[in-house]
Amino acid sequence: RINAEKDNKKVCVTKQFKLMSVDDNYEIETVSADDATCFVHHKKTEKKYDVLKRVSSINKVKIIKSKEIKISKESFKQANVSGEVRDSDNGDKSLEGAEVILTNQDGQVYISSTDAEGRYLFDDGFNMSPDTYSFIVKKDGYVDIKGEMIVRSDFNNRYQTLYMQRNTSEKCKSISGFVGDVEVKDRISNLTVYLCEGVRIKNGEPILVTTTDENGNFCFNNIDIGTYTIVVIDNRAVSDKSKYMSSSTMVVAKDGEDVYANCYVSKNLSSDKMRIVLIWGESPRDLDSHLYRYENNTSYGHCYYMNKVLKDGNNVVATLDRDDTRGNGCETITVDRFKDNKLSYSVYNYSGESLNGLSLSNAKVTVYRKGKTTLEFYPPKGKKGYNWDVFEYVDNKIKEINMIR
């Protein structure tokens, strides 16, 4: 990969380099941000050298120096990012030709665009490393979407679907909803609700602030159209045990409409617990959470609506705290004993309304551990099936599956 300039910013451009070396153990790894100097590493020793420079128009390279750079194996890991862009007025309409621009913390810019299905992909060819990336999505006639995403090397980084609003002069009438407890069907009063521009921009300035009323409701009026994040924070003077963790929910302010966006929060967890929360849209009507426990690849129990408490002997392993069945739902499983257990979590489309139901459900699975949101998963788009295998918990680590079948 070499660098080019676009709008006075450095961007990555794919080029094919040929390594001329008598030693087949060397491989090209990266290209520097300043010129066409390349870096290689030795396959066996994992040592890295800034030893290459492009020397001809056909992009051949040769070793010009042999200065070792001390670098860990983590630096060789790459990350992929994928997602989908749709029209906010017609959720079934994919937006082709939307430009997706990612920028890492070092200012390196990566550019992709959506295909006919509205999908974009940053694959291995982009040579992206794990980092926090800012992003912007652009398309003529639509309001830009800005945000931030954390990109990891051990996950597929399938991002939530982004809905673009057509550019008009009219404002959104209101954004309103309630804040509910993920464990019980209670709504929480006196929580602080921020409306922030963009999608999860860390340290972003809120444009409006309010507090949930006695029924847990909130409302913002007369909003410019575009994409926002609703952030809920518990600023109450209560004990840590009674406090809720912060949560964030993406919402699109549509021209001339009253928009509804319900939010859910979880209470703080002790370090020995894990909580899995499934949230989805109006359709399908009923999605179900399923948690399996395994020993030696054999199932030893199953937590779901027919068996709400999963035990290992007399010890509780997991509990289905909440089971919704009427759309716009929230289902929660709290795992009391996850260390040294092998667990598998999946979602089943119980209502069976459509083979595409899971893919189009706007579902999100959030995993909470140690007092914070640890991971989020979104179903792959364009896949058919009634089962969504989300992740496994093996060797005290979460392993992504994210497959619909």
Side-chain angles (χ1 to χ4, degrees):
R1 306 180 62 77
I2 64 171
N3 295 279
E5 296 284 333
K6 180 174 182 179
D7 300 329
N8 296 320
K9 293 182 177 180
K10 291 176 181 176
V11 299
C12 278
V13 178
T14 301
K15 290 287 185 182
Q16 184 66 44
F17 283 90
K18 180 180 179 182
L19 179 63
M20 297 188 299
S21 171
V22 295
D23 189 343
D24 291 334
N25 286 313
Y26 285 100
E27 286 185 334
I28 295 176
E29 192 63 47
T30 60
V31 177
S32 77
D34 299 318
D35 53 27
T37 300
C38 300
F39 296 97
V40 297
H41 78 276
H42 196 277
K43 296 178 187 177
K44 293 182 179 179
T45 66
E46 294 295 346
K47 291 181 179 179
K48 187 172 182 179
Y49 304 88
D50 58 339
V51 298
L52 301 177
K53 182 177 282 291
R54 182 160 58 95
V55 295
S56 75
S57 60
I58 59 173
N59 295 325
K60 289 184 179 179
V61 293
K62 67 177 181 179
I63 294 179
I64 59 172
K65 57 183 176 177
S66 181
K67 176 185 175 183
E68 181 182 344
I69 301 171
K70 295 196 180 294
I71 191 165
S72 69
K73 291 185 179 180
E74 289 294 314
S75 302
F76 299 121
K77 290 186 176 180
Q78 293 184 346
N80 295 342
V81 178
S82 63
E84 189 173 10
V85 181
R86 291 181 172 270
D87 188 304
S88 65
D89 293 327
N90 179 4
D92 292 331
K93 181 181 178 181
S94 301
L95 291 183
E96 182 179 5
E99 191 176 47
V100 184
I101 305 168
L102 304 184
T103 306
N104 66 15
Q105 297 295 295
D106 293 328
Q108 188 69 54
V109 179
Y110 304 83
I111 301 175
S112 183
S113 60
T114 55
D115 61 16
E117 300 297 324
R119 299 170 190 161
Y120 62 87
L121 173 64
F122 295 87
D123 58 15
D124 288 344
F126 284 85
N127 197 27
M128 293 174 63
S129 58
D131 203 345
T132 298
Y133 289 77
S134 62
F135 71 83
I136 183 168
V137 182
K138 295 174 171 286
K139 184 172 174 62
D140 289 344
Y142 289 83
V143 180
D144 293 350
I145 299 177
K146 297 180 180 180
E148 288 183 353
M149 64 173 70
I150 297 174
V151 176
R152 301 175 51 151
S153 62
D154 53 345
F155 283 83
N156 288 325
N157 299 299
R158 185 174 286 110
Y159 202 64
Q160 65 193 107
T161 300
L162 298 172
Y163 294 89
M164 301 192 78
Q165 169 64 37
R166 290 187 177 275
N167 205 345
T168 69
S169 58
E170 194 171 357
K171 290 197 171 188
C172 173
K173 290 182 179 179
S174 67
I175 296 175
S176 62
F178 66 78
V179 179
D181 189 310
V182 299
E183 291 183 83
V184 293
K185 296 183 180 181
D186 290 343
R187 300 183 181 185
I188 306 110
S189 63
N190 204 31
L191 295 184
T192 306
V193 184
Y194 300 91
L195 186 67
C196 304
E197 282 190 289
V199 184
R200 299 181 182 178
I201 300 177
K202 188 176 181 180
N203 301 322
E205 290 293 328
I207 61 171
L208 291 171
V209 182
T210 188
T211 303
T212 54
D213 63 19
E214 63 274 12
N215 296 313
N217 298 316
F218 65 89
C219 184
F220 301 105
N221 294 306
N222 198 30
I223 309 299
D224 289 336
I225 61 172
T227 303
Y228 297 85
T229 300
I230 300 171
V231 179
V232 181
I233 296 179
D234 189 350
N235 290 320
R236 302 174 302 165
V238 296
S239 67
D240 288 343
K241 186 177 180 180
S242 300
K243 268 190 179 292
Y244 289 92
M245 292 180 271
S246 62
S247 73
S248 60
T249 303
M250 187 181 74
V251 62
V252 179
K254 300 181 180 181
D255 58 304
E257 293 190 20
D258 294 305
V259 176
Y260 299 94
N262 298 328
C263 307
Y264 293 91
V265 288
S266 170
K267 284 186 177 178
N268 282 325
L269 296 172
S270 58
S271 60
D272 60 339
K273 293 181 183 291
M274 175 169 64
R275 180 162 289 149
I276 307 165
V277 179
L278 165 67
I279 297 173
W280 71 97
E282 186 175 344
S283 178
R285 177 179 49 83
D286 188 6
L287 297 183
D288 284 328
S289 292
H290 294 259
L291 184 74
Y292 298 85
R293 175 177 172 267
Y294 292 91
E295 286 185 11
N296 299 321
N297 296 320
T298 301
S299 176
Y300 274 82
H302 177 195
C303 181
Y304 70 123
Y305 68 93
M306 291 288 287
N307 182 45
K308 294 186 176 182
V309 180
L310 172 62
K311 291 186 176 183
D312 177 12
N314 293 323
N315 299 313
V316 174
V317 174
T319 304
L320 177 66
D321 304 300
R322 177 169 176 166
D323 178 22
D324 283 355
T325 60
R326 297 184 180 180
N328 291 309
C330 173
E331 291 211 4
T332 303
I333 291 178
T334 300
V335 185
D336 293 89
R337 300 179 66 209
F338 61 88
K339 292 182 179 179
D340 300 320
N341 268 313
K342 180 178 179 181
L343 305 171
S344 174
Y345 176 79
S346 61
V347 176
Y348 177 64
N349 181 0
Y350 182 84
S351 51
E353 296 160 9
S354 168
L355 274 172
N356 294 314
L358 279 167
S359 182
L360 300 174
S361 63
N362 287 325
K364 176 176 73 172
V365 170
T366 304
V367 181
Y368 296 92
R369 282 182 59 189
K370 299 178 181 178
K372 64 180 181 180
T373 300
T374 303
L375 290 169
E376 291 180 347
F377 299 92
Y378 302 91
K381 297 298 180 181
K383 303 298 182 181
K384 295 182 179 182
Y386 294 113
N387 290 279
W388 174 24
D389 297 324
V390 184
F391 67 85
E392 291 180 336
Y393 186 82
V394 185
D395 297 329
N396 295 320
K397 292 182 180 180
I398 291 176
K399 178 183 177 182
E400 180 185 26
I401 301 175
N402 216 356
M403 179 180 68
I404 290 178
R405 56 182 173 85

